[in-house]
Amino acid sequence: TSIDGGLALFQRVADITGKVEEGSVDIGIVGFDRFEESHVEDGEGIVIIPDLEYSKCELVMAVQESWVDVSNMADIADLAVEFRERGRDLRVATKYPRIVRRFLFSHSINYFNIVHSSGTLEVAPAMGFADIIADIASTGVTLRENHLKTINDGTILSSQACLIGNRKLLSGSPLKLEAARCIVERVEGYLEARGFFQITANIPGESAQQVATAVRERSKLSGLEGPTVAQVYGDDGGDWYAVTVVVPRSSHQEVLDYFRSIGGTGISVIQPRYIYTGESKSYKRLLQAL
């Protein structure tokens, strides 16, 4: 699909990080877990926006519920030693061998074998080809359905969709960097807007200044920089003013109640599509990474 002079390619999730790393594409959207597992250390792949606020999940260690004495990573470490003394290593099934191996080493667990599997992992312990698993979980329902439990301190990684890019390609082309800036700022503006509402109300008053002062009495309800106040030219000849504020979603009801308390009516609430506040922090981080 062509977009503003560029080309959007739909790829398998497992291939996106590699495509960015090798330079086949300039930027990509992929799960942070996939990036951490696949990217080349000190390579050209970089994370531009670490959290796109969807596809949130965790990579966790899980064992069979029947292992009542195993609840934390220290227990896993003891178990690994016991297995070694019995003549074999603890088998860990996962789709993320690189991340899991690093995590186990960090907990001083050295006796284990990684069983790399791209299929369903939850059945691995029951089928006997692994002792424990390390897999992505969002709600934990699938684990419980397969009689597995998570380890208390066994969260390996918190993940979500992220925007990644190729450092060399972006730094070497002003046109690509400018295109990346537009995309990054658009994404950042969209994510920022999701946390706000724009509220407009018709409020009676003696003047625009008097109405603005009344609104600003609740400083945290008066918008990003302050209320916008404009005269309403109605048929009844009264002095009415349209007041618009952009406030956090959590302040929705409080603003509604306060506007009503000072005579507000005809109140409308909309979700802004984008909100831009000064310099783009994400684009600034991108420039620093380049």
Side-chain angles (χ1 to χ4, degrees):
T1 303
S2 295
I3 48 172
D4 297 334
L7 185 66
L9 303 174
F10 295 91
Q11 301 284 299
R12 293 193 314 151
V13 173
D15 296 336
I16 294 175
T17 300
K19 294 291 185 183
V20 173
E21 287 275 3
E22 71 185 21
S24 298
V25 294
D26 304 292
I27 61 175
I29 295 176
V30 70
F32 183 66
D33 56 314
R34 292 285 186 174
F35 178 80
E36 280 292 284
E37 177 65 26
S38 305
H39 83 282
V40 178
E41 295 289 348
D42 299 321
E44 300 300 339
I46 56 173
V47 176
I48 300 174
I49 300 180
D51 187 359
L52 296 179
E53 298 185 8
Y54 71 93
S55 293
K56 293 184 180 295
C57 58
E58 292 182 334
L59 178 59
V60 297
M61 302 289 297
V63 302
Q64 299 177 68
E65 290 179 345
S66 58
W67 291 13
V68 293
D69 295 330
V70 180
S71 59
N72 54 49
M73 291 306 298
D75 296 330
I76 297 291
D78 293 340
L79 198 62
V81 173
E82 290 180 17
F83 272 65
R84 169 54 71 94
E85 291 174 347
R86 296 175 189 172
R88 72 174 180 88
D89 288 336
L90 186 71
R91 298 166 301 171
V92 185
T94 186
K95 301 172 186 175
Y96 303 88
R98 176 182 178 185
I99 300 174
V100 172
R101 186 176 289 110
R102 188 166 56 220
F103 180 76
L104 292 173
F105 285 151
S106 72
H107 284 273
S108 301
I109 301 173
N110 301 308
Y111 305 132
F112 62 88
N113 283 327
I114 295 291
V115 180
H116 189 192
S117 173
S118 58
T120 302
L121 296 180
E122 291 84 0
V123 299
M127 294 182 66
F129 67 85
D131 303 300
I132 63 177
I133 70 169
D135 198 13
I136 289 294
S138 54
T139 63
V141 172
T142 304
L143 292 177
R144 290 192 294 272
E145 288 177 344
N146 286 275
H147 307 291
L148 299 174
K149 64 177 182 178
T150 56
I151 299 300
N152 292 335
D153 54 347
T155 298
I156 302 169
L157 180 75
S158 294
S159 179
Q160 60 284 317
C162 62
L163 182 69
I164 63 174
N166 184 291
R167 187 199 327 262
K168 183 177 181 180
L169 293 177
L170 295 178
S171 62
S173 170
L175 290 177
K176 290 183 177 181
L177 184 59
E178 175 60 16
R181 181 188 69 81
C182 294
I183 293 173
V184 166
E185 291 203 3
R186 188 72 60 86
V187 170
E188 187 176 69
Y190 177 78
L191 294 177
E192 184 73 16
R194 293 174 65 179
F196 290 88
F197 279 137
Q198 177 179 299
I199 303 179
T200 299
N202 294 325
I203 298 177
E206 299 175 359
S207 66
Q209 182 60 53
Q210 182 265 323
V211 171
T213 299
V215 172
R216 291 183 64 87
E217 285 184 4
R218 299 282 185 91
S219 59
K220 71 175 183 176
L221 305 184
S222 60
L224 296 176
E225 298 294 338
T228 298
V229 182
Q231 188 168 3
V232 176
Y233 296 90
D235 295 331
D236 60 3
D239 293 326
W240 287 84
Y241 297 87
V243 178
T244 300
V245 295
V246 178
V247 296
R249 293 174 65 96
S250 59
S251 300
H252 175 195
Q253 190 64 45
E254 190 174 355
V255 173
L256 177 62
D257 292 341
Y258 183 64
F259 277 3
R260 283 172 170 165
S261 74
I262 58 177
T265 187
I267 303 172
S268 64
V269 180
I270 64 173
Q271 173 74 65
R273 190 165 180 80
Y274 301 98
I275 289 181
Y276 301 102
T277 55
E279 184 181 31
S280 168
K281 296 178 181 178
S282 297
Y283 182 64
K284 184 177 180 180
R285 286 197 302 268
L286 172 58
L287 293 179
Q288 292 172 343
L290 298 181

